[in-house]
Amino acid sequence: MYGFVSSSLIMALIVQKYGGTSVGSIERIRTVAERVAKFKMIGHQVVVVLSAMSGETNRLIALAQQIQKEPDPRELDVLIATGEQVTIALLAMALKDLGLKARSYTGSQVRIVTDSAHTKARILSIDEAQMRADLDSGHVVVVAGFQGVDEMGDITTLGRGGSDTTGVALAAALHADECQIYTDVDGVYTTDPRIVPEARKLDTITFEEMLELASLGSKVLQIRAVEFAGKYKVKLRVLSSFQEEGEGTLITFEEDSMEQPIISGIAFNRDEAKLTVLGVPDKPGIAALILGSVADANIDVDMIVQNIGANNTTDFTFTVHRGEFKRAMDILNQVKDEIGAREVSGDDKIAKVSLVGVGMRTHAGVASKMFRTLAAENINLQMISTSEIKISVVVEDKYMELAVRALHQAFELDKAVA
Ligand code: ASP
Ligand code: MG
């Protein structure tokens, strides 16, 4: 049936968010209008949240950078919020052209109030009264994603990819039955199909797993949107706006589903670099000193490994975002003598590969199977870290794709759990 909604409600309130490629041209905008119309026709109330046309936000940022290398954040928000204002107006017109009642609103008009942290603002409150009144009078409400307004009335934006967060936040505020994120993929996959052609679309994934996958660099959903959905228990579904059929991937809360696969997906990224401080004195305060100097420079650290000491010294390794590698190296070289370290070394040709699955909680042996699989391919593990539902390893980056393929096969992720 067209217009799948997980709750069996006849008349549901649905928030639909369409990304940049889904509204990238007039033709695509018309296609979105037709999809919205079908949902309206079967009796649902629909709030639509839109991104800017694909490429538009980048284009606007590039314009600003021609004037200021680091554009003034307040003015940058005024500029980049325009992208979404274009698409909402065009979609509202397309809906009216189909004979529907529709109204477009900017973030400030629907009172998406945020803090004043320009270009990365957080939503404080949403006034849903106007949207409710419109929905009750049969309108489709079309809201600009990615933007809000602070208490002073200044335009703010929520960070790149932020219209996902707008969608989820509106769904939470309106107690929507479902928040549907329409994108250019038809759901969440066991891993990137460009690397593993056998990768399988998941019908469901738990919120916690999605959070891990999003934070590990799977770009399907903005991580803040996933966090928001978790906090307010918003039912989220990822679907393709390019396909008529298909139920996408539903992000569930673990209690909802009985049997979980042990592993749901494999994430990977090449965004990190590794730094090692060799021969540091094995005494209290050293980790604080090393990481403190890095944190003071506002550099985020991801994985950390400290070896057991030998001869009263130890080695200390951690990873940072690849873009911060040089800065972090410079800092370590500066503090090297203060710490009493023998040597500082670094490597930015690394990749992180992670297995994610809530089933790990109740199944032993996942790590050993992972390590055996990688050993059989002669892949050396440079670092290992684990959490309750995730095991990550750092490998040389030229082995990343091989590692992902081998693990996908070993854990039989191409096969659906019976
Ligand atoms: N247009 C904004 C961006 O490109 C927000 C979004 O698309 O979610 O980041
Ligand atoms: Mg996006």
Side-chain angles (χ1 to χ4, degrees):
M1 187 194 85
Y2 193 91
F4 187 86
V5 183
S6 56
S7 52
S8 51
L9 294 177
I10 317 257
M11 281 177 47
L13 170 50
I14 306 168
V15 174
Q16 299 187 331
K17 180 262 167 177
Y18 292 90
T21 50
S22 310
V23 293
S25 68
I26 294 299
E27 217 195 308
R28 301 282 324 151
I29 289 174
R30 282 199 191 276
T31 307
V32 169
E34 279 157 23
R35 186 183 295 263
V36 172
K38 286 182 184 156
F39 277 87
K40 263 309 274 169
M41 241 81 99
I42 31 182
H44 299 309
Q45 293 186 319
V46 188
V47 174
V48 183
V49 174
L50 297 182
S51 289
M53 288 177 156
S54 52
E56 179 62 7
T57 310
N58 287 342
R59 188 185 73 86
L60 294 167
I61 292 171
L63 284 180
Q65 283 171 337
Q66 286 179 42
I67 296 178
Q68 282 187 302
K69 207 156 167 282
E70 284 191 21
D72 179 89
R74 181 188 181 278
E75 306 313 327
L76 186 62
D77 274 352
V78 174
L79 179 69
I80 60 182
T82 60
E84 276 72 11
Q85 198 168 329
V86 171
T87 49
I88 55 167
L90 292 172
L91 180 68
M93 290 175 201
L95 289 166
K96 289 178 198 195
D97 205 44
L98 293 175
L100 291 170
K101 294 198 273 184
R103 265 184 200 149
S104 69
Y105 292 106
T106 64
S108 122
Q109 281 178 298
V110 280
R111 303 292 309 154
I112 298 176
V113 178
T114 70
D115 61 21
S116 303
H118 285 289
T119 75
K120 47 177 186 298
R122 290 193 169 262
I123 297 175
L124 301 175
S125 67
I126 294 174
D127 178 4
E128 31 36 279
Q130 180 64 47
M131 288 184 281
R132 275 239 196 264
D134 284 341
L135 290 171
D136 289 343
S137 59
H139 288 81
V140 175
V141 177
V142 185
V143 180
F146 179 54
Q147 56 176 263
V149 64
D150 72 5
E151 258 138 21
M152 273 101 71
D154 284 339
I155 295 172
T156 56
T157 63
L158 309 178
R160 297 307 305 271
S163 43
D164 288 347
T165 300
T166 307
V168 175
L170 289 183
L174 291 160
H175 303 286
D177 295 290
E178 190 164 297
C179 179
Q180 302 177 337
I181 308 279
Y182 287 90
T183 174
D184 47 8
V185 294
D186 62 349
V188 179
Y189 277 71
T190 49
T191 196
D192 188 337
R194 284 170 299 190
I195 293 201
V196 184
E198 300 78 32
R200 188 171 47 84
K201 183 183 77 68
L202 298 162
D203 294 333
T204 65
I205 186 167
T206 69
F207 152 74
E208 281 176 290
E209 289 167 326
M210 193 61 226
L211 199 57
E212 289 287 0
L213 291 176
S215 69
L216 291 168
S218 133
K219 305 241 156 48
V220 187
L221 280 174
Q222 196 208 28
I223 182 160
R224 273 174 66 188
V226 183
E227 285 167 357
F228 217 106
K231 188 161 167 200
Y232 295 98
K233 298 260 165 177
V234 173
K235 248 197 180 136
L236 257 186
R237 187 184 291 279
V238 177
L239 310 112
S240 165
S241 65
F242 293 82
Q243 291 177 5
E244 284 276 305
E245 301 290 325
E247 297 174 5
T249 301
L250 180 68
I251 294 146
T252 61
F253 296 90
E254 215 178 320
E255 317 87 75
D256 300 351
S257 37
M258 302 277 287
E259 188 65 38
Q260 295 293 341
I262 300 173
I263 304 299
S264 288
I266 304 173
F268 50 83
N269 77 60
R270 285 194 176 92
D271 295 341
E272 292 186 26
K274 183 178 82 166
L275 296 101
T276 302
V277 191
L278 294 149
V280 292
D282 196 7
K283 64 175 192 207
I286 288 296
L289 203 57
I290 296 173
L291 293 178
S293 64
V294 173
D296 288 346
N298 249 321
I299 298 175
D300 284 333
V301 169
D302 179 28
M303 290 165 92
I304 304 172
V305 171
Q306 188 194 305
N307 291 339
I308 13 164
N311 309 323
N312 291 325
T313 70
T314 182
D315 301 338
F316 195 92
T317 304
F318 59 94
T319 64
V320 299
H321 194 274
R322 207 175 273 193
E324 313 266 41
F325 177 56
K326 228 200 125 295
R327 222 154 55 86
M329 277 299 279
D330 290 346
I331 291 168
L332 289 187
N333 278 312
Q334 278 163 29
V335 296
K336 184 178 140 214
D337 291 339
E338 187 189 340
I339 304 168
R342 190 176 70 238
E343 196 189 326
V344 172
S345 72
D347 182 0
D348 64 352
K349 303 218 165 20
I350 60 161
K352 184 164 88 171
V353 175
S354 308
L355 284 183
V356 174
V358 291
M360 274 184 217
R361 283 199 184 114
T362 45
H363 286 79
V366 174
S368 60
K369 183 169 176 179
M370 179 183 196
F371 303 155
R372 247 184 292 124
T373 304
L374 297 172
E377 301 291 341
N378 246 317
I379 300 173
N380 189 41
L381 309 183
Q382 303 182 5
M383 295 174 84
I384 299 169
S385 83
T386 63
S387 77
E388 243 195 322
I389 66 163
K390 178 187 72 175
I391 307 172
S392 301
V393 296
V394 166
V395 300
E396 199 179 330
D397 70 354
K398 70 177 182 206
Y399 295 125
M400 187 191 84
E401 296 193 6
L402 175 62
V404 173
R405 278 192 210 105
L407 291 169
H408 201 273
Q409 197 174 20
F411 286 91
E412 301 187 338
L413 294 184
D414 54 324
K415 302 191 182 83
V417 270

